[in-house]
Amino acid sequence: MFQSLVGNRFGRRMGRPALATAFALFLASSPAVAKDLPDGKLPLLNTLNLSVDKLNGLAGGEGAVALSRLTIHYKFDVLLGEPVMSFRGNYDFRAPAIVAVPENCWKLVREKGLEGMTAAASPYVRLDMTERFRAAFAEAELLSDSIFSVRIVPNQKIVLSDRRLDVAGMHVRFRPDTLKRSLELGMMVNSSPSWHQLLQRKDGSFYSKAEAKAVFKVGFEVEDLELVELDYNANALRSAARDYCREALAAAEKTAETAKQEAPPATVSALENALESAFGGAETPASANSRNSQLPQSETTAGASILEDAFASAEESRAKRLKIEALKNSSDQFLGVTETPSRILRVLAQDHGSEDGDMVTIFLNNAEVLTFTLANATRQIDIPLQQGENVLEIKALNQGSSGKNTALFWVETEDGKELVRREWNLSSGGNAKLLVIRI
C-alpha cells in the first residue's frame, strides 16, 4: 500500500530506482535501530508474597485480591524518530481478598465469625474463596490504572559531552494498555511519550531528550518488573461481604426479637411490684381492697397513686411498642430507636459506591427537609428536633446508573456523638426510618 501510494504520487517524477534510494536514506536517518530494542515479557515475582497487611495498604481503603500470577508483555520501538512502547498484562487471582465493610459488620465478624470471613484491622475483613464468594472472586478485576515500572539497562556505556551517563536506577514507569484475566492478552496499543518524559532516574526525575535518544540508539535490556500501585475493581466482593453481613445481622435481630417476645414483659413485673407495694404484700386485689378499707386514708391514697403510675407506665410502654411496630412495617429498613437531649439532629450521607446519580429525600415527622444527589463526599444536614418523638425518614428517589440506590448514612447529636450508622442498597421508592426521642 505504501509503495503504491508513493509510486502514484512520485513515480513519474523520480522513477523507481530513485524512489528506492530515497526510502533507504529515510530509514537510515532514524536515530535508533529497531532490532536493538527489546520485545518480551516479565513476571511480577513477588505476587505470591502479598499478605493481608500488604493488600490492606495497596487497596486504598476499598478492596484488593491476592495475585497468584502477573506477567507484563512489553515492546519498545522507534517510529518516525519518536519513541514507541506498548505494555499488555495478564494475571490470575487467588484467595484471600480483603474488603472494607461497615463497622457493625466488622464487629459481627470479629465477635461471632462468619463462614469464609475473618476480621482484619478495622474496617477490613478477609474473604476466603468459599462457595458463597466464588462468583464474586470471578468478577474481580485488576484495572489498567495500576502503575508498574521496569528497569532499563543500556547495552553499552554512554558518553555525552565527555561525561559518562549515570544509568543506575534508570527505569520506565507505566500503566498497562490492557490487563486481562488468565492467559488472554488484550489489543496492543502503542503509546508515544515525549523523549524528555520517557526515562526516569532513581529519584523520579527524567533524563533529557538527548540522553534518552542515546539510550535508544545503543539499545537496552528490560529487567525487574516492579509494582508501584495496584488498582482493583473489588465491588462484587465488597457487595457479597456486605450482603452476607446484612443477612447475619437481620437473623441476629430476629432471634433477639423472638427471645424478647417469649420472655415475660418488663411491664408485667413492674405492675406486680406496684400491686405488692400498693397493697402491702402478694395479696389478691379483692383481699387487698377489704384490708385497705381499714387503712388510714393517706396510706390508701399512696397505694392508689402507685397503682395508677404502674398502669400509666405499662400503657406508655405498650404505645411505644406499637409505634415501633408500625414504623417497622412502613419502612424497608428500620434503623431503630434512640434517645437524646440534643436539640439538633445531624444527618450525614454519602454514596458508598460509585457516584452514579443516586437521589434521596429526607423527611422529619412527614415534612420534607431536603432532596439532594448523593456523592462520595459527605453531605451534612442539621435538623431541629421537637420535644418527644421524632420520626426521621430517608427515601430513595431513583436508582443510579450503576444499579440500586447505594448510600451510607449516620446520625449524630449537635456535639458530634454518633447515634446510629447504617448503609443501604435500595430500589427506587425504598425508605429507611429512625425513631428519635428528644428527652
Side-chain angles (χ1 to χ4, degrees):
M1 182 70 174
F2 176 82
Q3 184 178 3
S4 63
L5 287 173
V6 174
N8 288 338
R9 186 173 297 178
F10 302 110
R12 295 192 188 118
R13 185 179 306 172
M14 300 180 63
R16 300 281 179 188
L19 173 62
T21 302
F23 187 54
L25 288 172
F26 167 75
L27 290 177
S29 67
S30 296
V33 182
K35 69 179 181 179
D36 292 330
L37 298 177
D39 179 354
K41 62 183 180 181
L42 279 176
L44 186 64
L45 298 177
N46 65 346
T47 51
L48 292 174
N49 297 323
L50 289 179
S51 67
V52 168
D53 291 336
K54 289 182 180 177
L55 285 173
N56 186 338
L58 295 171
E62 290 302 322
V65 191
L67 290 161
S68 62
R69 181 189 61 81
L70 188 146
T71 303
I72 293 293
H73 297 248
Y74 58 85
K75 181 177 177 62
F76 290 86
D77 210 337
V78 173
L79 181 64
L80 301 179
E82 295 298 326
V84 175
M85 58 186 189
S86 172
F87 299 96
R88 298 179 292 165
N90 51 41
Y91 62 93
D92 283 312
F93 283 138
R94 65 177 178 90
I98 186 166
V99 295
V101 294
E103 184 181 4
N104 59 350
C105 175
W106 181 81
K107 286 182 177 179
L108 176 69
V109 175
R110 184 191 62 177
E111 293 168 5
K112 298 187 176 180
L114 293 175
E115 184 182 359
M117 296 177 68
T118 308
S122 177
Y124 297 101
V125 295
R126 167 183 170 143
L127 306 183
D128 294 320
M129 202 177 295
T130 59
E131 194 59 37
R132 172 176 280 271
F133 298 120
R134 195 171 301 279
F137 267 97
E139 291 185 40
E141 296 177 288
L142 183 59
L143 301 178
S144 55
D145 281 341
S146 301
I147 302 174
F148 301 86
S149 75
V150 288
R151 190 158 63 93
I152 301 300
V153 183
N155 291 334
Q156 62 188 65
K157 67 178 182 180
I158 300 171
V159 178
L160 293 174
S161 302
D162 298 325
R163 180 180 60 86
R164 183 171 178 174
L165 184 65
D166 181 7
V167 298
M170 180 183 289
H171 66 280
V172 170
R173 184 173 288 198
F174 64 92
R175 286 186 170 90
D177 308 317
T178 58
L179 278 173
K180 297 288 186 179
R181 289 286 287 268
S182 191
L183 298 177
E184 182 183 354
L185 275 177
M187 181 182 298
M188 181 185 293
V189 181
N190 290 327
S191 61
S192 182
S194 300
W195 284 109
H196 64 281
Q197 292 181 323
L198 175 59
L199 303 180
Q200 290 182 264
R201 295 183 179 85
K202 187 183 297 186
D203 64 3
S205 62
F206 286 96
Y207 286 87
S208 70
K209 178 178 180 180
E211 292 168 337
K213 281 189 171 186
V215 172
F216 269 64
K217 186 172 183 179
V218 302
F220 53 87
E221 297 297 326
V222 178
E223 299 178 358
D224 300 340
L225 175 65
E226 291 188 7
L227 163 67
V228 178
E229 180 181 322
L230 282 182
D231 192 7
Y232 292 90
N233 176 1
N235 291 339
L237 285 161
R238 195 164 62 249
S239 295
R242 294 178 180 186
D243 288 345
Y244 194 8
C245 280
R246 273 193 289 268
E247 292 173 18
L249 288 167
E253 287 181 7
K254 187 175 181 180
T255 300
E257 186 66 26
T258 301
K260 184 178 178 182
Q261 290 174 356
E262 290 175 353
T267 52
V268 172
S269 299
L271 185 56
E272 288 174 347
N273 292 337
L275 286 169
E276 187 172 341
S277 175
F279 297 113
E283 302 176 281
T284 64
S287 62
N289 282 337
S290 174
R291 184 178 64 80
N292 279 344
S293 63
Q294 302 171 11
L295 291 174
Q297 179 66 32
S298 60
E299 207 173 311
T300 305
T301 303
S305 175
I306 293 171
L307 186 60
E308 288 174 4
D309 290 344
F311 274 114
S313 177
E315 183 60 30
E316 182 180 347
S317 177
R318 178 175 177 275
K320 182 178 178 180
R321 191 165 64 250
L322 290 174
K323 178 146 193 172
I324 292 172
E325 287 300 319
L327 289 174
K328 286 182 178 179
N329 293 333
S330 63
S331 62
D332 297 288
Q333 189 170 349
F334 182 59
L335 304 180
V337 182
T338 185
E339 295 183 347
T340 177
S342 179
R343 297 171 302 164
I344 300 294
L345 192 67
R346 180 166 296 154
V347 180
L348 299 103
Q350 64 178 136
D351 193 332
H352 70 82
S354 58
E355 291 188 9
D356 58 351
D358 291 335
M359 295 183 65
V360 297
T361 297
I362 295 180
F363 300 87
L364 186 72
N365 299 325
N366 295 321
E368 181 176 336
V369 176
L370 182 67
T371 295
F372 61 96
T373 300
L374 292 165
N376 292 146
T378 302
R379 179 73 176 264
Q380 176 180 314
I381 306 98
D382 288 349
I383 308 173
L385 290 175
Q386 66 181 22
Q387 198 69 34
E389 294 180 349
N390 298 264
V391 177
L392 176 72
E393 178 182 1
I394 307 167
K395 186 173 184 179
L397 299 184
N398 67 340
Q399 293 179 205
S401 58
S402 298
K404 290 188 176 182
N405 193 303
T406 54
L408 172 64
F409 288 96
W410 64 101
V411 179
E412 299 177 349
T413 61
E414 57 190 324
D415 59 358
K417 180 183 177 182
E418 186 173 298
L419 301 176
V420 66
R421 176 185 290 259
R422 293 285 178 88
E423 64 177 55
W424 74 6
N425 191 358
L426 295 180
S427 301
S428 180
N431 68 344
K433 290 184 180 180
L434 171 69
L435 178 59
V436 183
I437 302 174
R438 181 182 167 195
I439 54 178

